Amino acid sequence: MNDDQKYILAIDQGTTSTRAIVFDHAGQIVASGQREHEQIFPKAGWVEHDAAEIWRNTRSVVGDALVGAEINRHQLAAVGITNQRETAVVWDRTTGEPVYNAIVWQDTRTQKICDELAGDEGAEKYKERVGLPLATYFSGPKVKWILDNVEGAREKAEKGDLLFGNTDSWLVWNMTGGKDGGVHVTDVTNASRTMLMNIDTLDWNEDIAGDMGIPLSMLPEIRSSSEVYGTGRKQGLLIDTPIAGILGDQQAATFGQACFEVGQAKNTYGTGNFMLINTGEELVRSENGLLTTVAYKIGDNKPIYALEGSIAVTGSLVQWVRDNLGLISDAPEIEDLAKKVDDNGGCYIVPAFSGLFAPYWKSDARGAIVGLTRYINKNHIARAALESTAFQSRDVLDAMNADSGVELSELKVDGGMVKNETLMQFQADILGVPVVRPQVIETTALGAAYAAGIAVGFWDGEQDVIDNWAEDKRWEPTMDEATRERYLRLWKKAVERTYDWVDEDVNELYG
């Protein structure tokens, strides 16, 4: 490597693993490191991570990436962070230790809390203020659960001894010194997923925090997505390196995909699927089950908003087929099985493992495989698993078209599943619009890198991101309209079969 050349390091703290990627000025990957962390399932519907393990893994993958790139911290212009949103960490500011495992965005234990908070006003109670429905998905109710259920936690919180953040805040605090002076911040995109931030003024809502019993002293300072928050701690690998970008993972992918114009949209295929459409400086309130969220805010510039459709289970359905059913030994094998049949044979899988997210928001739904006959084999099940991702994305796109009034002409895609060409073709077919994959599919990490690089002048601004973006492959729809509509009718029929499954008997027997 040229000792004078500079790079950006992006830390991508995801739901199943943590990665560190070194990017050059052209937005190309130079080297990376990745480590998975344990998925903890204490009870049905509960999903946890060990935040201390995530911090250990972060330090390891940073070292791996720097070694792979054959550079040291002196050649890093800045570090950007992107993270799984809505996953709540509460820790002791004095000891630096989490008081409980991180409660993951997929976790449904807070349903009773959400119901109690909703009262007679229902799930839309806070939506005007925060852009979100009351749902187990978001961070605020998770924090309330920890304070209510971990011995001594509420007393410590009320004394000002506990801190809360999504995993971005947890990492930045540790990276900048932890208990020895760590910076406690988050950015507007992560704050917009807590149910605690006013979506219009971008500050904490004291009344909602009060309703949830969350002391304001626990909350991080809300900052923009692109500015210097602090520098690396003295005893780490990133000594004095500016930490200068934070974006929640889906907003980071939107940024990395250069969706800067109103009406541009991307869909990320990961553990879940997340489709965002840029609405510019206009705060659009959804009437069709979507979330109003902050897309990004660069320094002192005005915030840019987005509508988002969040789907809980897509890539994790492939993991379930692998780990729980044992039909495949490696995730990419699912495409090999799916290609052995021409269609799903009438089998539909609705993976409502954590209820249904956008646009349905049915927390009492549970997963179903419908249309089973003796004809169905594992190939049909594999194909149905892939197709469920495409069908759920179509549901979200329909809601976006209705809310935005803009018919998409193409959809930019990214994330691990976009390597699956069978899925991408079916996605184009069921949407009826072209699907476009970029050359660099790690757009989540890339978006965080761009945010950090812009903050320190490594890149001049959004035009550099646009100039770096390059198309890799495009899938054109080939399905006729009549066939598409038949598929969609059967899909919606399958979705309806999952409603209202959770009741007192289910909770008593399996809760």
Side-chain angles (χ1 to χ4, degrees), residues 1-7 69-72 74-76:
M1 291 292 172
N2 182 342
D3 290 344
D4 296 327
Q5 191 168 344
K6 291 282 190 176
Y7 304 89
E70 297 184 331
I71 63 172
N72 59 38
H74 295 291
Q75 289 169 267
L76 293 177

Side-chain angles (χ1 to χ4, degrees), residues 382-402:
R383 190 170 188 95
L386 291 181
E387 289 182 356
S388 75
T389 293
F391 283 126
Q392 291 180 95
S393 296
R394 168 65 192 243
D395 288 341
V396 168
L397 184 60
D398 286 346
M400 278 189 176
N401 287 339

